[in-house]
Amino acid sequence: MFWKKKTIIDENIIKKIYKKDRLLRYTYLFLGVFLVAVAFNLFILPSQIVYGMSGVGVILNSVFKIDPSIVILIGNSILLILSFLLLGKEKTTSSVMGALLVPVMIKLTDIIPTYVALDYDPLLFTIFGSVMTGFGLGLVFKGGFTTGGTDILNQIVSKYAKMSIGSAMFWTDGIIIFGGIFAFGWTQIMYSLIALYIISVMTDKVILGISSSKAFYIITDHETAVKKFIMDHLSHGVTVLDGRGGFTGNHQKVIMCILPTKEYFVAKEGIHEIDPNAFFLVTDAYEVYGGE
């Protein structure tokens, strides 16, 4: 009975979060996906940059001349089904629109290179394509959505292989990049690694700061509810510290947790929904060891 009540509370919080500022959030989503698609057609595909699901599209387009938008659509659709079966409805919902919109937008914008004449320069294409892609992804994540693809795969691998998201990313993206070696050689893979770094930094910069994780320090009158939201819905551990007000001298509990930057939006809004008067501090966490 308690478990059912807790689940209902969590679901209501998530529904409230995604009802907030819908126009702004969907603007972030569509603008972000548009930038990602334009960057893919204008810079990433011509440069044969390999990363994530789009990297699979680049490889198959080069080897078999298959339309990359079709590859990405099929790949994302399969991963969405796996996400629903293995991760559940809540984890899948935020990925559906982005995962399906990306390949559609890539197809709609694939005519742009015929109207934009650019002299090919591998380094400039890599830099500009990565910055535009990272900025677009940052907007998508800032709106509380994802683009599906290997983001879903990373969550699945992390959950069932009992490893951190960072380790899961190493294996999933590593396999895709390794496949790119056979298709394009070592030089293009080195450009891909540069692109991955720029995309990662740019994405995090748009969302909040430059680190891949954020440290939350929360003071609230609803300690139990906040702890359960973080542990049960976001699936991250918390540490409760003893604190004392400098002015009042009253003893207070401080909830500390480390969350991936991509989950910042949901965590912030969830805490606010539980306790509008909660005080919390968010800082960059540059290095996080253990606790997964």
Side-chain angles (χ1 to χ4, degrees), residues 23-269:
L23 179 59
L24 180 61
R25 291 179 53 247
Y26 282 108
T27 299
Y28 282 151
L29 172 64
F30 283 96
L31 180 57
V33 169
F34 175 76
L35 291 175
V36 169
V38 172
F40 179 83
N41 286 310
L42 205 55
F43 300 110
I44 302 299
L45 185 60
S47 302
Q48 297 178 325
I49 299 299
V50 178
Y51 70 92
M53 185 55 66
S54 65
V56 178
V58 170
I59 294 172
L60 295 183
N61 175 258
S62 175
V63 177
F64 301 108
K65 306 303 179 185
I66 302 175
D67 188 331
S69 63
I70 294 176
V71 175
I72 296 171
L73 178 61
I74 294 173
N76 281 355
S77 298
I78 293 172
L79 288 172
L80 283 173
I81 294 172
L82 289 175
S83 176
F84 184 80
L85 295 175
L86 301 176
L87 300 177
K89 179 181 176 181
E90 287 184 11
K91 290 287 187 180
T92 307
T93 301
S94 62
S95 300
V96 173
M97 287 195 66
L100 299 180
L101 191 59
V102 166
V104 171
M105 194 65 76
I106 286 176
K107 186 62 180 177
L108 292 175
T109 58
D110 65 1
I111 197 172
I112 290 179
T114 61
Y115 293 98
V116 181
L118 296 174
D119 294 328
Y120 178 69
D121 182 294
L123 183 58
L124 285 178
F125 270 47
T126 298
I127 293 173
F128 275 86
S130 303
V131 169
M132 187 180 291
T133 299
F135 191 84
L137 289 174
L139 290 176
V140 173
F141 294 140
K142 194 176 181 70
F145 299 95
T146 77
T147 54
T150 51
D151 281 335
I152 295 175
L153 189 58
N154 292 336
Q155 293 181 59
I156 295 173
V157 173
S158 174
K159 179 177 180 179
Y160 290 94
K162 306 298 181 183
M163 63 175 65
S164 69
I165 290 290
S167 298
M169 288 174 65
F170 174 81
W171 286 104
T172 55
D173 286 328
I175 291 172
I176 294 172
I177 291 174
F178 186 74
I181 295 174
F182 296 98
F184 309 123
W186 286 99
T187 301
Q188 288 305 117
I189 294 306
M190 285 190 282
Y191 280 118
S192 296
L193 292 174
I194 293 172
L196 277 172
Y197 176 76
I198 296 174
I199 289 170
S200 174
V201 171
M202 194 66 193
T203 300
D204 286 347
K205 188 68 175 176
V206 172
I207 300 172
L208 179 68
I210 58 174
S211 65
S212 60
S213 299
K214 303 298 172 190
F216 277 68
Y217 296 87
I218 309 155
I219 298 175
T220 174
D221 292 328
H222 301 273
E223 176 193 340
T224 302
V226 171
K227 285 193 303 183
K228 288 187 178 299
F229 175 73
I230 294 170
M231 291 189 293
D232 296 334
H233 178 74
L234 300 180
S235 301
H236 291 283
V238 302
T239 299
V240 179
L241 308 174
D242 288 319
R244 186 160 61 95
F247 180 74
T248 64
N250 295 333
H251 289 277
Q252 297 172 309
K253 297 293 184 180
V254 181
I255 301 172
M256 185 196 75
C257 63
I258 306 296
L259 301 175
T261 299
K262 293 177 183 178
E263 296 182 17
Y264 166 79
F265 171 80
V266 175
K268 181 192 71 171
E269 294 296 334

